[in-house]
Amino acid sequence: MGTPPVVAVVGPTGSGKSDLAVSLALELGGEVVNADAMQFYRGMDIGTAKITHAERKGVPHHLLDILDVTQEASVSDFQHQARQVIADIHARGKRAILVGGSGLYVRAALDVLEFPGTDPTVRRTLEAELAAHGRAAMLARLRDVDPASAERLSDDRRIIRALEVHQLTGRPFSSFMPRREYYQPAVQIGLAVERAALHERLAARVHAMVDAGLLEEVRRLDAAGLRAGKTACRALGYAQFLQVIDGSATVAEAAEATIVATRQFARRQLTWFRADPRITWLDWQDPGLAGRAAALCR
């Protein structure tokens, strides 16, 4: 008998992915692998709705609390770590259950997806040339070596990145674009939501976070260097409540801004995941959800 497929539970924030992952782990003899980029951070618990130890029900969880807030999350680093963890889980005869709403991180773990390296010296040289000669000249150069990228890229940062990748690898940047091809067998389960109900749930969740001490958590992380990190300080809720600390917003204003931003994020997540035809969608409020999901994984 070969290695069982990786199970991935995906969908928008607030849809119940963490709870379903635990139920599947208990049903299938599995362990959970986090693919939510903001849950990598130690101390970012309330604002990320990080699953508590009690809610884990004894199921081992991997890749939670692996970074300080001053560190930058990296998709390529995550890919390496996630694949190692998944291989280890399977080697022990368990099922790996990937869970998260960070679409690119999910695909990095599941799909054939390469991340070309970077070189600060090459990058600085290209940026200097951009400053000297302008975007049109750089785009013309890109068109010579990678017409597909030149056709679809329009901002300076991405044009520089595409030229850097070609210079470092000899391959067009477009050749590194992800394909919907699994790195190893996988089953993806998506939680289909009713939008109005999700919006209500997200608003209630933000208010519950405020009541649970979100402002105090942000204050504590601010003292630990939150603003110095490139990734963590942009997290939903944290960016808004830093404004409360700065005196430019009230708690009520920050909560409302967080609700709006979270709803917008959920909409982007749904757009991302709905584009993947390999996902089987199940009703997030189905009383028999765990059983239906487990049946898909057997």
Side-chain angles (χ1 to χ4, degrees):
M1 187 173 167
T3 303
V6 179
V7 177
V9 179
V10 303
T13 187
S15 58
K17 297 184 297 295
S18 296
D19 290 342
L20 178 58
V22 168
S23 296
L24 285 173
L26 292 170
E27 183 74 20
L28 303 171
E31 299 183 8
V32 174
V33 183
N34 170 53
D36 182 321
M38 294 307 164
Q39 294 196 9
F40 297 154
Y41 290 102
R42 285 183 282 272
M44 288 176 65
D45 302 328
I46 297 170
T48 65
K50 191 179 291 173
I51 189 167
T52 66
H53 284 282
E55 291 165 340
R56 297 176 201 179
K57 298 179 180 177
V59 172
H61 278 62
H62 303 270
L63 302 185
L64 287 170
D65 301 325
I66 56 173
L67 295 176
D68 290 326
V69 291
T70 53
Q71 295 177 280
E72 188 172 359
S74 159
V75 188
S76 58
D77 287 349
F78 168 77
Q79 181 185 65
H80 177 70
Q81 292 172 298
R83 290 183 179 180
Q84 277 194 324
V85 168
I86 288 167
D88 176 63
I89 292 169
H90 285 168
R92 290 185 281 105
K94 302 287 188 179
R95 293 293 296 271
I97 299 166
L98 188 75
V99 59
S102 300
L104 184 57
Y105 284 80
V106 172
R107 291 200 64 182
L110 297 182
D111 280 351
V112 175
L113 180 55
E114 292 179 81
F115 292 96
T118 186
D119 184 309
T121 305
V122 171
R123 176 75 60 89
R124 280 194 296 271
T125 301
L126 289 168
E127 287 170 344
E129 291 174 6
L130 172 69
H133 305 296
R135 180 189 296 175
M138 303 305 277
L139 202 52
R141 189 195 302 186
L142 183 60
R143 201 171 289 115
D144 288 339
V145 296
D146 185 1
S149 290
E151 185 66 30
R152 64 184 185 79
L153 300 181
S154 57
D155 69 276
D156 293 347
R157 188 174 61 84
R158 288 193 171 95
I159 292 167
I160 292 297
R161 176 60 177 151
L163 286 167
E164 177 193 26
V165 167
H166 182 265
Q167 195 163 324
L168 292 175
T169 67
R171 287 171 52 187
F173 185 53
S174 51
S175 73
F176 290 94
M177 290 299 101
R179 305 189 298 278
R180 296 201 191 281
E181 178 187 341
Y182 288 136
Y183 163 77
Q184 58 187 356
V187 173
Q188 290 190 80
I189 297 166
L191 291 177
V193 299
E194 198 281 304
R195 187 164 292 182
L198 179 65
H199 280 189
E200 282 185 26
R201 181 166 174 171
L202 292 176
R205 189 166 78 155
V206 170
H207 289 304
M209 289 172 177
V210 174
D211 292 341
L214 177 57
L215 178 58
E216 290 74 20
E217 179 172 278
V218 176
R219 213 184 288 281
R220 189 166 61 249
L221 293 170
D222 189 25
L226 177 62
R227 294 177 207 247
K230 289 184 179 178
T231 317
C233 67
R234 298 202 307 267
L236 293 170
Y238 296 86
Q240 289 78 8
F241 276 80
L242 281 171
Q243 294 182 337
V244 178
I245 293 170
D246 292 341
S248 57
T250 65
V251 168
E253 288 167 344
E256 186 56 36
T258 301
I259 291 167
V260 171
T262 305
R263 287 171 175 171
Q264 291 170 340
F265 178 57
R267 188 163 61 244
R268 292 195 301 273
Q269 288 174 302
L270 281 168
T271 299
W272 173 285
F273 289 119
R274 281 174 178 159
D276 191 337
R278 301 168 300 175
I279 296 173
T280 300
W281 292 91
L282 299 177
D283 181 357
W284 68 319
Q285 294 180 320
D286 179 356
L289 173 62
R292 293 183 199 284
L296 290 171
C297 303
R298 289 196 173 97

